[in-house]
Amino acid sequence: VCGLKALLVSVPLSTSLCLSLWRIIKFMNKKHVLICEDDTGILDVASIVLESSGYTVTALPETTNIIEIIKDVQPDVILLDLWIAGKQGDEITRELKASQETAHIPVIIFSANKDTELIARRAGADDYLTKPFDIEELEQMVKKYLPNY
């Protein structure tokens, strides 16, 4: 899976081929976490930590086409930055929770904003993490929504 991720990052592929490859990954019995974070340091660390814990990770540095990607990929958990270029995390969360296709997917919003908890609740997020968070907090939060994995 890690090799596939490297391939998807290093080789320009069409969106449909990329999504087809993700469908294949979905059938490999690994729980799938989608992370959308524009800080590449946080995105890389969170991806490495969760992949080393046995999860398949889709790492998105921007929100372009995120709703379509989520509907197609159907991750088991979404980690979503609140303040990100393009569509904001709270707006994305509201859209996801309003759709029958995606309302069941747990969304965890994370941000350094002092009002992260309030914003996350108002948006309908399932949970939140305040930045900076440590690796154990991240792992425990994901495990909370995937308890049998």
Side-chain angles (χ1 to χ4, degrees):
V1 174
C2 291
L4 181 57
K5 180 182 176 192
L7 173 70
L8 293 176
V9 171
S10 64
V11 178
L13 300 172
S14 72
T15 302
S16 62
L17 178 58
C18 208
L19 292 174
S20 295
L21 291 171
W22 285 124
R23 282 189 202 104
I24 293 167
I25 290 171
K26 188 73 175 169
F27 292 107
M28 295 174 66
N29 284 335
K30 285 191 168 189
K31 293 297 183 179
H32 190 167
V33 180
L34 183 139
I35 308 169
C36 188
E37 165 64 65
D38 58 354
D39 180 321
T40 56
I42 293 173
L43 185 62
D44 290 344
V45 168
S47 296
I48 290 166
V49 166
L50 294 174
E51 284 175 346
S52 70
S53 295
Y55 300 103
T56 297
V57 175
T58 298
L60 302 175
E62 59 184 39
T63 61
T64 305
N65 299 322
I66 189 167
I67 300 296
E68 292 81 14
I69 293 169
I70 290 169
K71 285 181 178 181
D72 195 64
V73 172
Q74 287 291 309
D76 298 294
V77 174
I78 299 168
L79 295 168
L80 186 58
D81 187 16
L82 181 59
W83 305 123
I84 189 165
K87 200 178 276 192
Q88 301 289 301
D90 56 341
E91 181 183 348
I92 294 166
T93 301
R94 282 187 195 91
E95 278 188 57
L96 293 171
K97 294 303 181 178
S99 170
Q100 288 184 348
E101 289 179 81
T102 56
H104 67 281
I105 304 170
V107 176
I108 303 163
I109 287 182
F110 53 95
S111 177
N113 186 300
K114 66 182 177 73
D115 295 323
T116 302
E117 179 181 9
L118 178 63
I119 296 167
R121 287 179 196 232
R122 285 183 179 165
D126 296 274
D127 226 319
Y128 71 97
L129 274 172
T130 303
K131 294 181 194 173
F133 50 83
D134 64 35
I135 291 170
E136 286 183 16
E137 279 182 291
L138 175 64
E139 290 174 314
Q140 290 303 314
M141 184 62 71
V142 171
K143 192 174 230 173
K144 177 179 175 180
Y145 291 95
L146 300 173
N148 297 324
Y149 187 72

